[in-house]
Amino acid sequence: MRALVARQYGSADVLAMDDIPAPEPGPGQVRVRITAAGLNPADLRTLSGVMRESAPLVFPHVPGSDFAGTVTGVGDGVSRFTPGDEIFGLGLPYAAKAMADLVATPPSLTTGTMAEYALFDADTPALAHRPPDLPADHAATLPIAGLTALPLLRAGTFARGMKVLVIGAAGGVGGAVVPLLAARGVHVIATAIPDDEPYVRALGAAEVIDYRSADPGAETLRRHPDGVDTLVNLAQSGPALVGTARAIRPGGRLLNIAFPSPDPAAFAGVRVDTLYTQAGPGDLDELAALAVRGTLPNTITHRYGPAEAMRAYTDLANSHTIGKLLVMWS
């Protein structure tokens, strides 16, 4: 089968298309022919080796977690799925020693979704049947972004009229967080460059701050002297985040998904929580229903063919991208 393969740690440059044997499902596993696979920054972070202590790679390594596809084979003991089922979800294509560093609930170990076929553990809440009225490409954008957004929203009490500053709103996770907050009537203040303003406003942002020309924390306080109720951080780390957090009102909250996690001691008078991607029972079904209703829009901004899979990761690493990038395998 065709697959995007890395044979050592490194940047996107170590990835190359190759022909490798198609995997066979073992007990408790399903084999899926991949229709669409979504790219995520975590794919490159694990490939770089920075997380090798908690998530060591086994080479040759096929990256990719998000997918939608068709079940083509099942192993012994699998009754949840049958060949021909259309499913979507995510897996983890590495041997994680400390899953808590990556996700709150281990989704599924997989052979990697940047390939024609991949294996998944069948008994995991990180796989679900794809509804007929949810296109495969849209479904493949939902797992990582949606399963990161849901814990963020569940961790906070977001009521109509609350002011929330979202850092990194134009990225993949922002494409789920912003519309879900807007659906609750939250006043979303998003950071983005001017070229991306139409995109984040279409997601539901009420205001946009150009983070390249203005300090987000200072600009937010200029517009809202009493501060915001919550800061949702999808991108910043270190001293920059400490500065931005000045925009949080006393007693407010900082919800973070960025790596590395911030030290709560640096944020006096603010509750700090770092949340992880988590797949619970029914979560993917909930995301699918939100997508079908239009609450979670299709955020694909570029589709690549299999021969362009390496370029897709190069674009993710080296270009300014918004929304989700997708490789269409079939």
Side-chain angles (χ1 to χ4, degrees):
M1 70 173 183
R2 293 174 300 172
L4 189 64
V5 176
R7 299 189 180 277
Q8 64 185 48
Y9 286 109
S11 66
D13 294 339
V14 305
L15 294 166
M17 288 299 298
D18 203 350
D19 287 316
I20 61 175
E24 293 294 331
Q29 294 182 322
V30 294
R31 182 182 61 207
V32 175
R33 180 174 177 84
I34 303 298
T35 301
L39 281 71
N40 291 287
D43 301 344
L44 294 176
R45 189 159 62 245
T46 54
L47 181 62
S48 74
V50 70
M51 304 181 74
R52 71 179 71 191
E53 291 300 317
S54 59
L57 301 184
V58 176
F59 297 103
H61 166 71
V62 177
S65 299
D66 286 357
F67 81 95
T70 306
V71 176
T72 61
V74 299
D76 290 342
V78 175
S79 58
R80 183 182 177 198
F81 302 109
T82 59
D85 285 354
E86 297 291 335
I87 70 172
F88 74 109
L90 77 150
L92 295 177
Y94 33 78
K97 293 180 180 177
M99 284 289 191
D101 291 346
L102 304 167
V103 290
T105 301
S108 171
L109 294 179
T110 173
T111 53
T113 59
M114 287 297 161
E116 290 184 280
Y117 294 90
L119 293 182
F120 302 90
D121 296 332
D123 188 18
T124 168
L127 298 184
H129 288 89
R130 176 172 65 84
D133 44 0
L134 177 63
D137 59 351
H138 193 175
T141 70
L142 296 175
I144 287 287
L147 295 174
T148 306
L150 287 181
L152 285 169
L153 268 71
R154 291 167 180 169
T157 303
F158 294 104
R160 181 171 297 277
M162 286 183 63
K163 291 178 289 186
V164 176
L165 175 61
V166 179
I167 304 297
V173 177
V177 169
V178 173
L180 290 177
L181 287 173
R184 297 191 181 188
V186 170
H187 183 92
V188 177
I189 308 160
T191 66
I193 65 173
D195 286 348
D196 299 343
E197 181 168 346
Y199 172 78
V200 294
R201 284 193 180 276
L203 293 176
E207 298 180 50
V208 180
I209 293 174
D210 177 6
Y211 64 87
R212 291 185 177 178
S213 63
D215 174 83
E219 178 61 17
T220 299
L221 285 175
R222 186 187 70 81
R223 300 183 188 186
H224 304 278
D226 293 334
V228 297
D229 299 290
T230 302
L231 168 62
V232 176
N233 179 48
L234 310 178
Q236 277 189 336
S237 61
L241 179 58
V242 175
T244 301
R246 291 176 299 171
I248 306 173
R249 65 168 176 78
R253 298 189 67 180
L254 166 58
L255 299 177
N256 172 73
I257 69 161
F259 178 85
S261 304
D263 179 3
F267 303 88
V270 172
R271 177 177 170 180
V272 179
D273 293 288
T274 292
L275 288 306
Y276 300 96
T277 305
Q278 183 171 0
D283 282 350
L284 282 177
D285 296 322
E286 179 180 348
L287 293 172
L290 289 167
V292 169
R293 290 203 300 266
T295 305
L296 283 176
N298 190 327
T299 58
I300 301 168
T301 54
H302 201 111
R303 293 173 174 82
Y304 301 82
E308 302 173 299
M310 179 181 173
R311 182 166 70 86
Y313 275 106
T314 300
D315 288 349
L316 180 66
N318 300 324
S319 302
H320 175 73
T321 60
I322 62 173
K324 295 293 292 186
L325 308 184
L326 220 62
V327 175
M328 304 299 299
W329 285 92
S330 60

